[in-house]
Amino acid sequence: MTAKPFDADHVPKPSQADVDGLRARIRGRALTPADPAFETAALRFWNRLGPVSRRPRLIVRVAAAQDVAEAVRFARAHGLKVAVRGGGHNWANPTLRNGGLLIDLGELNQVASIDVAARRAVLQPIVSNREVQARLNALGLSYPSGHCPEVKLSGYLLSGGMSWNQGVWGPGVGSVEAIELVTARGERILADKDHNADYFWAARGAGPGFFGVATRYHLRLYDLPRAIAGSVCHYPMAEAGTVARWLEAVAPALPANLELSLFLVAAPPEVAAKCPPADAGKTCMVTATVFADSLDEARAALAALDACPAMDKHLFKETAAPTDFSALFDASGALWPQGMRSHVDAMFFNAGLEDMVLAVRDHFVATPAPEGLVLFTIFTGPDVPAPLPDAAFSMSARYYGGPWTQWRDAGDDAAATRWHDRCLDLLTPLACGHYISESSMVRRPDFVRRSYSESAWNRLRELRQKHDPDGVFYDYFEALS
C-alpha cells in the first residue's frame, strides 16, 4: 500500500477515535496529554536542566518494531512530525519537540542473540553500555561500547560512538554490520553495505538528524582482552601545562591499545587535602587504561607514564591496577553522575595539548559547578585515527574532549551557564570539529554543521531529501524553541 503524502498543514489532526485505533494496533502504549502518565513519559531524560517547556502532541511507547512502523504511518496520516527517543541521554534533549509524535523506544531493551563462534550479536537499541559488556564479557567477548554505563546503544551508535579501546577497535559504529530500521514511509527494512546502503551510511553518525528509526543492531564482536589494567595520577594545577606538553610528546610512541586522558576535575577527598590552596580543590588528573593480552604487557605499557617530568610533584598515584569493564564503568559513572543539570559540548582538536589545557586551567579553578570537568582524550600511536570511509560519522583528530559542566541546584543555572559559555569561548578557536551527540543544537546550532566533514554534511542533506522528502522526521533544528 502506498503511504499518504505528509502534509502537516492540511492533514486533520488525530481525534480521540484515531488514537484509540492506534492503541488497538500496537502492543505498546499511546499517550496523550490527558493521560496521567504523559508528563512523566515526556520528561524522561538524563539532563535535568530541561527543556521543561516542550511537549509532543502524542507519545507512543513502543513494545515491538511493528509498533514503530504503525506509529510512523499514523504520524504521516495525521500530519504529525516524528521525533525518536532512545535512552534520553543526549545532553541537549533533542528528542523533546513542541508538537508532533514522540516514539519512545524505552521498552526495546533485549539482547536478541549472541553467536559466540561467529562473534556476532543482535541487540535492540535500549541496551546500556554496562549491560552489553556484562553479557558479552561472561562469554569471553567484548564490543567497543561507550564509557558512560547508562548510555544506551541507540544514541551512542547513531552518533558514531566514542568507545573504550578505540585505538584498536575503532568507534562503536565501525563494528555495526547491519541495522534493522523503519523508514519515513513506515516500512521495515534491513540496511547494510549491500542493501539500502544510503540508510546504512546515514544511520552510522547522523544522530538525532537521522531520517529513520533503528530497531535492532547487528554487531561484530571481539575477544575480551585477557588483561585490563589502569593507572591514575593527580598533579597540582600548576603542573598541568608541563604534564600536557609531555603527554603530547610521548603519546605517538605509546601503543594504540593504551587509552590516555587528561582531566581537569575536582579532586577526590583523599587528594583534595593535598591540593595547594590556590587550586580550590581542583586537580589535573591523568588516567591510562590498557587492553592487553597479559598483565605484563599492560604493566610495560603503563610504565612509560612514570617518566613524566612532573612525577615527583604528584599528589596521588596508582599504577597498573588490574581492572575489568564493570570497574571501569563504576569509575566513569562517578564522573558523570545521574540527576545533574548539565551543559556539554565535546570537540575534536589538533591544536597543542598544552595550549588547550592552559587556555582553560585558571577558568576551571574558578568554576561554580564543582561536579563539572574538562576532558582531553589523547589518541595514542603514531597516526591520527582516520575517519570511517563509509559512515556519516566523519570527525577525527588527535584529541577529543571539552567541558562537561554539571551542577545540582537550579539556583546555579545562570552562573554555570556563564562559566560554560566562557569555557567554549576559550576552546572553540582551537577546535577542528564537534561531536553530534554531545553538542547543543539549541544553544550552539553551528556546532551541528561542524560535527561533519563538508562532504558528509552535504550528503546527509541530500539523503534526507531523497528518503524523507515530506519531512516526516524532525531535522536537527525544528521545534526546539
Side-chain angles (χ1 to χ4, degrees):
M1 179 182 295
T2 302
K4 296 179 181 179
F6 182 82
D7 187 342
D9 294 325
H10 298 95
V11 177
K13 296 302 184 285
S15 66
Q16 185 61 51
D18 294 325
V19 174
D20 289 342
L22 174 64
R23 287 170 173 154
R25 297 194 299 274
I26 64 174
R27 290 169 48 191
R29 301 178 66 193
L31 303 173
T32 70
D35 290 295
F38 181 86
E39 280 292 289
T40 299
L43 301 180
R44 187 183 67 81
F45 42 65
W46 175 269
N47 186 356
R48 304 318 304 167
L49 186 59
V52 296
S53 61
R54 303 180 211 150
R55 292 294 186 280
R57 184 183 296 269
L58 180 66
I59 300 171
V60 180
R61 190 166 173 83
V62 299
Q66 185 57 34
D67 287 1
V68 177
E70 290 285 356
V72 172
R73 290 195 289 265
F74 182 89
R76 289 186 66 97
H78 296 284
L80 299 176
K81 294 180 75 70
V82 174
V84 184
R85 174 175 292 157
H89 200 289
N90 188 298
W91 304 97
N93 296 316
T95 59
L96 192 61
R97 311 280 180 136
N98 275 322
L101 185 153
L102 170 60
I103 296 177
D104 190 319
L105 304 177
E107 294 183 19
L108 301 187
N109 55 10
Q110 300 300 308
V111 176
S113 66
I114 301 173
D115 187 329
V116 176
R119 287 172 172 72
R120 298 293 186 272
V122 180
L123 296 92
Q124 291 185 318
I126 313 303
V127 182
S128 73
N129 287 324
R130 188 188 287 274
E131 292 167 325
V132 170
Q133 292 292 2
R135 290 289 300 271
L136 296 178
N137 295 173
L139 300 172
L141 299 171
S142 190
Y143 174 76
S145 68
H147 295 70
C148 185
E150 300 304 320
V151 167
K152 308 303 189 285
L153 280 178
S154 178
Y156 169 70
L157 291 176
L158 285 175
S159 298
M162 304 301 292
S163 71
W164 288 113
N165 200 23
Q166 188 163 335
V168 175
W169 289 337
V173 76
S175 295
V176 174
E177 296 194 328
I179 303 171
E180 296 174 43
L181 60 91
V182 175
T183 71
R185 303 189 74 83
E187 298 166 337
R188 294 173 60 185
I189 65 172
L190 177 78
D192 60 22
K193 65 182 180 62
D194 299 316
H195 307 89
N196 299 300
D198 286 351
Y199 286 96
F200 187 58
W201 181 89
R204 297 181 305 143
F210 182 51
F211 41 87
V213 187
T215 58
R216 296 213 303 185
Y217 293 94
H218 296 237
L219 308 180
R220 180 172 68 253
L221 309 177
Y222 301 87
D223 289 335
L224 178 67
R226 294 188 179 93
I228 305 175
S231 294
V232 60
C233 196
H234 289 266
Y235 298 93
M237 294 295 278
E239 301 303 320
T242 298
V243 173
R245 182 169 63 253
W246 182 78
L247 289 174
E248 180 174 6
V250 74
L254 296 174
N257 64 339
L258 189 154
E259 184 169 312
L260 185 62
S261 296
L262 183 152
F263 292 83
L264 304 180
V265 66
E270 65 271 22
V271 178
K274 303 177 183 179
C275 290
D279 290 356
K282 310 301 193 304
T283 182
C284 172
M285 178 176 73
V286 175
T287 64
T289 306
V290 179
F291 302 86
D293 287 330
S294 69
L295 195 54
D296 286 342
E297 177 194 342
R299 288 170 176 156
L302 292 167
L305 298 178
D306 290 337
C308 177
M311 183 58 70
D312 62 334
K313 299 179 182 177
H314 75 267
L315 304 173
F316 173 88
K317 177 184 175 186
E318 181 179 70
T319 301
T323 189
D324 57 21
F325 274 107
S326 178
L328 289 175
F329 284 132
D330 289 344
S332 182
L335 291 170
W336 290 279
Q338 298 188 54
M340 305 298 293
R341 305 169 75 82
S342 308
H343 289 306
V344 175
D345 287 282
M347 312 175 216
F348 292 87
F349 303 91
N350 282 318
L353 183 60
E354 181 182 16
D355 293 339
M356 295 186 293
V357 170
L358 292 182
V360 296
R361 179 187 62 185
D362 294 344
H363 182 61
F364 180 75
V365 170
T367 176
E371 294 90 351
L373 58 89
V374 177
L375 161 68
F376 299 103
T377 294
I378 306 157
F379 286 103
T380 55
D383 301 314
V384 173
L388 295 175
D390 57 351
F393 178 53
S394 47
M395 283 291 105
S396 179
R398 175 62 72 185
Y399 309 105
Y400 166 80
W404 275 255
T405 307
Q406 305 170 108
W407 67 101
R408 296 187 182 276
D409 191 340
D412 295 330
D413 286 359
T417 298
R418 286 193 299 271
W419 184 92
H420 184 83
D421 287 345
R422 177 56 182 160
C423 198
L424 291 183
D425 291 342
L426 295 169
L427 284 177
T428 301
L430 301 171
C432 60
H434 297 262
Y435 186 44
I436 190 62
S437 74
E438 294 182 318
S439 294
S440 175
M441 57 203 63
V442 179
R443 302 183 68 246
R444 301 275 179 155
D446 55 313
F447 288 3
V448 173
R449 166 63 188 83
R450 296 189 64 198
S451 295
Y452 302 95
S453 67
E454 182 176 2
S455 61
W457 177 251
N458 290 337
R459 187 178 180 192
L460 275 174
R461 294 173 65 191
E462 292 166 0
L463 292 182
R464 180 180 180 84
Q465 181 59 36
K466 176 181 177 182
H467 295 290
D468 186 13
D470 303 312
V472 173
F473 289 98
Y474 286 110
D475 68 12
Y476 293 102
F477 308 112
E478 291 179 286
L480 290 171
S481 58

